[in-house]
Amino acid sequence: MGGAKDRLWFLLNRMKKKKVISEHDHSTELKRCLTTTHLTFMGVGCTVGVGIYVLVGVAAKEYAGPGVLLSFLMAGLVTVINAICFAEFGARIPKTGATYTYVYESASELLAFLVGWMTLVGYITSGAIAARAWSGYLDSLFNNYIHESTVHTLGKVTLGPPFSESLDFLACAYEIVVIVIISLGVQASAFISTVLAGVSVCVLLFVTIMGLVIGDYRNITNTEHGGFLPFGIGGVMAGTAACFYAFQGFNIICMSAEECKTPGKSIPRAIFSELLIVTLLYVGSSCGLILLVPYSKIDIRAPLPSAFAYKHIEWAKYVVSIGPTLGISNLNILNLYNISRHVYCMSSDGLFMKAFLKVNRTTKVPVRAAVVMGLLVSLFALLFDISNLVSFNVISIFLSFVISNGILLLSRREERSTSSEDAENRNVRTDERPLLSSDGRVSEPRTGFSGLADRIGLLYLVCLVVFTSLGLGLQLVSGIDDLLHGRVLAFVCLGLLLGLLVFLSVLMSTQTGSAKHNGFSMPLVPYLPVLSIVINIVLLAAAANVTGVIGYVILVALGFGIYVALVLFSTTSSGQNSSSSVVEDWIGVGKKSREHLM
């Protein structure tokens, strides 16, 4: 019975544990060799993938028309707001792991593990999606000969969703090639990524220049078919939500913190440089596309090649076809880079298998993590249909931004705490004892907005912002028709929700202070993080579906079960093997805390 209580107490303590990281701790087994330029082009390569080559056509033809230029600008602005949060964490925490590490350092081990677990699943599904997209695009150049030959030889798979109807051996084989590239070392993979990203950038610049030189500027004004905004502002907003996915990829810059020479300076610079480059490329290429072909005649299956076919410039069509192939190739390489570093980081914290801590002495690469995770991605690419993986990935992206901004708000909490020792010495009741400010001076309990915020607490204020944002998102998604028809009740509900968000932000402003580290920090806290949370939850409400939500909840529950089993197993192992000092330390903490309470 006592053993069970010890394990339960140990589990509860582990759930609340935080990781202590110094901004001056640059120790690592990995090789610090990446510069700001390397990081920038890695971010560009991880961002400019299949998204721009497909989404630019969909957003222009079905949502925004020529107003797709504004959609890309707005999507870039939203991404910058999210990226500011990551830039602060990257400047403060010189360790790999990105969102997982930031949550572990600022919140708790349980939440960090769940974030890390869902991030890992997201990376694996993203890799499978990219590998299948690469094989599909390459196969299309040969009139789908490979796919048809596979089905003819082996027949169709009849297992049903989420399995694909045919096995994709080409995607599986390509992922194995990616494993070899990543295993060569970070310098080799960064060089290959930089070259591929450079070619993709040149392709998009080529589209921009050709559109400006030989395009028809009447396609922008579009006077005969509804003007610049044929679908109105609503179409631009819908196009923004679609274009938003094409900007995701800067997370790899934060994941490279332990292999960067000067992470505190390079990570913020690389993030903003990458987003500036990508935004200009996207706006330029979408402008070139609209100039080359009227938005109503865009072929959404291959928008850029078909634009040159419309202009009867066949050679340019083949030049542009290089872009998607190399862009997706680069995306696969950088995705496996992300997975291997993420697994290495979790393993170094004792939250994943220790076998993945093995780093090759020559290349300084966690080879086991790269090989095992790469083989898992290749298996997913071989068996599963990408359409069944996309909805889960969308939820993961938005929730990671919501969690990161929430954690940033909590990390800015002003240190107004109580001193129980002093209170006991003065025989003062706990609820009447004075507060200590961050500089150690005694301060009286506050009144007004500040006092209300003190009583609620910053954590609960953040939770209220999340739930209010969810209500706002559901109101905008499900009640959009009522708003468009000018119904008073819909506008009253919208006004109340927006007013509550403003009120909660004002309360938070009395609880948050300036950053406690040197280097880049997010401005306008708490207003900018709250805005980011609201935007991401609204977009999540618009993009999520029931199947994706159910799948996500199931995976979170599975992750919690894995965490509990992992912690309890480590407890059992510590009783048999005294080498696990971390575990023993935590058992000691649990016993001392329980004795103190008794």
Side-chain angles (χ1 to χ4, degrees):
M1 188 70 179
K5 287 183 178 180
D6 286 342
R7 286 195 294 272
L8 179 59
W9 196 261
F10 172 73
L11 176 63
L12 294 175
N13 276 288
R14 279 290 296 266
M15 287 181 178
K16 297 181 289 184
K17 173 187 173 184
K18 293 182 182 180
K19 183 178 182 179
V20 179
I21 304 175
S22 170
E23 62 178 294
H24 305 293
D25 180 13
H26 288 200
S27 60
T28 179
E29 291 187 37
L30 305 179
K31 186 176 182 180
R32 290 195 180 275
C33 58
L34 300 179
T35 62
T36 303
T37 303
H38 286 131
L39 294 177
T40 300
F41 276 94
M42 287 174 71
V44 171
C46 198
T47 304
V48 183
V50 67
I52 179 60
Y53 296 105
V54 176
L55 288 176
V56 65
V58 175
K61 186 173 184 177
E62 299 185 358
Y63 295 118
V68 71
L69 306 180
L70 299 180
S71 294
F72 273 112
L73 281 174
M74 292 177 65
L77 179 61
V78 172
T79 306
V80 167
I81 293 174
N82 286 322
I84 292 174
C85 171
F86 281 77
E88 173 170 328
F89 278 123
R92 180 163 63 88
I93 304 175
K95 295 293 181 180
T96 191
T99 308
Y100 157 77
T101 300
Y102 306 155
V103 173
Y104 202 173
E105 192 263 355
S106 303
S108 68
E109 183 178 276
L110 173 61
L111 183 58
F113 178 84
L114 292 177
V115 168
W117 162 253
M118 300 310 294
T119 301
L120 176 59
V121 176
Y123 281 144
I124 293 173
T125 55
S126 295
I129 291 170
R132 281 225 163 208
W134 181 89
S135 70
Y137 192 89
L138 186 64
D139 195 21
S140 68
L141 300 178
F142 300 97
N143 297 319
N144 297 320
Y145 173 78
I146 300 173
H147 171 76
E148 292 175 359
S149 299
T150 303
V151 173
H152 178 74
T153 305
L154 301 176
K156 290 187 176 182
V157 178
T158 58
L159 296 175
F163 294 94
S164 174
E165 291 185 353
S166 63
L167 300 176
D168 198 334
F169 289 101
L170 184 60
C172 181
Y174 175 67
E175 192 63 32
I176 293 174
V177 175
V178 172
I179 294 173
V180 175
I181 294 174
I182 291 297
S183 301
L184 292 175
V186 64
Q187 284 181 305
S189 55
F191 174 76
I192 294 172
S193 173
T194 301
V195 172
L196 294 177
V199 175
S200 295
V201 168
C202 290
V203 169
L204 295 179
L205 286 175
F206 174 76
V207 174
T208 303
I209 294 171
M210 291 294 286
L212 294 173
V213 173
I214 66 174
D216 187 352
Y217 285 84
R218 289 175 298 180
N219 294 340
I220 295 289
T221 56
N222 191 37
T223 54
E224 297 180 359
H225 298 90
F228 182 67
L229 301 177
F231 299 97
I233 297 297
V236 173
M237 297 302 295
T240 300
C243 296
F244 179 76
Y245 308 119
F247 283 88
Q248 305 314 307
F250 64 84
N251 198 43
I252 191 174
I253 297 174
C254 301
M255 192 65 72
S256 308
E258 282 192 43
E259 291 162 287
C260 176
K261 292 181 179 179
T262 55
K265 296 180 179 179
S266 294
I267 289 178
R269 292 173 182 173
I271 288 176
F272 295 123
S273 299
E274 180 261 337
L275 287 177
L276 177 62
I277 292 171
V278 168
T279 302
L280 292 176
L281 285 173
Y282 284 0
V283 173
S285 58
S286 60
C287 180
L289 175 65
I290 296 296
L291 289 171
L292 288 169
V293 57
Y295 82 90
S296 58
K297 296 182 180 180
I298 292 175
D299 182 358
I300 60 175
R301 295 173 298 178
L304 299 183
S306 66
F308 288 101
Y310 178 82
K311 284 288 187 179
H312 306 292
I313 309 175
E314 295 298 323
W315 64 269
K317 180 177 73 173
Y318 292 107
V319 170
V320 173
S321 298
I322 298 173
T325 306
L326 297 183
I328 301 171
S329 300
N330 202 11
L331 194 61
N332 274 277
I333 294 171
L334 296 173
N335 184 77
L336 185 57
Y337 173 90
N338 265 336
I339 299 176
S340 60
R341 272 53 178 182
H342 182 71
V343 169
Y344 168 81
C345 181
M346 291 188 69
S347 300
S348 65
D349 292 332
L351 295 179
F352 214 68
M353 289 176 280
K354 293 182 179 180
F356 294 131
L357 280 174
K358 180 69 175 179
V359 175
N360 185 277
R361 293 182 179 179
T362 304
T363 62
K364 298 296 183 180
V365 170
V367 177
R368 288 181 183 174
V371 171
V372 174
M373 293 297 113
L375 291 175
L376 190 59
V377 170
S378 67
L379 181 64
F380 269 60
L382 176 68
L383 298 176
F384 295 108
D385 183 7
I386 60 175
S387 63
N388 292 301
L389 302 176
V390 172
S391 60
F392 165 80
N393 231 29
V394 169
I395 297 174
S396 294
I397 290 172
F398 287 125
L399 284 183
S400 69
F401 290 145
V402 171
I403 292 172
S404 297
N405 281 279
I407 293 301
L408 185 140
L409 285 170
L410 294 177
S411 70
R412 292 289 196 92
R413 180 192 286 116
E414 284 188 326
E415 296 178 1
R416 295 177 58 83
S417 57
T418 59
S419 174
S420 56
E421 249 180 38
D422 292 343
E424 288 173 3
N425 290 338
R426 291 190 301 267
N427 296 318
V428 179
R429 282 175 50 192
T430 303
D431 57 352
E432 294 178 352
R433 63 197 178 196
L435 294 173
L436 295 178
S437 61
S438 57
D439 58 3
R441 293 177 301 177
V442 176
S443 59
E444 295 298 327
R446 300 189 291 181
T447 59
F449 281 155
S450 301
L452 178 61
D454 289 340
R455 288 191 291 273
I456 297 175
L458 186 58
L459 176 61
Y460 291 105
L461 287 173
V462 172
C463 293
L464 286 172
V465 166
V466 170
F467 285 114
T468 306
S469 302
L470 181 59
L472 179 64
L474 294 175
Q475 169 69 18
L476 291 174
V477 172
S478 61
I480 187 66
D481 292 334
D482 294 334
L483 291 170
L484 293 176
H485 288 88
R487 292 175 181 167
V488 177
L489 182 59
F491 279 97
V492 170
C493 292
L494 183 64
L496 289 174
L497 290 170
L498 291 174
L500 180 57
L501 286 171
V502 172
F503 177 68
L504 292 173
S505 300
V506 172
L507 291 181
M508 281 186 182
S509 67
T510 68
Q511 295 284 298
T512 54
S514 59
K516 302 176 181 65
H517 67 280
N518 298 322
F520 180 84
S521 60
M522 176 180 270
L524 299 176
V525 175
Y527 303 105
L528 207 54
V530 169
L531 177 62
S532 180
I533 290 173
V534 172
I535 292 173
N536 284 289
I537 291 181
V538 169
L539 292 175
L540 173 62
N545 56 50
V546 176
T547 304
V549 172
I550 293 175
Y552 197 90
V553 171
I554 292 174
L555 285 171
V556 169
L558 178 61
F560 179 76
I562 292 174
Y563 173 78
V564 171
L566 181 69
V567 172
L568 293 182
F569 175 77
S570 68
T571 311
T572 305
S573 300
S574 68
Q576 301 170 356
N577 187 352
S578 60
S579 63
S580 181
S581 59
V582 175
V583 171
E584 289 175 354
D585 288 344
W586 272 100
I587 291 177
V589 169
K591 288 181 177 178
K592 289 176 182 178
S593 301
R594 189 172 65 256
E595 289 170 1
H596 175 73
L597 290 175
M598 293 175 64

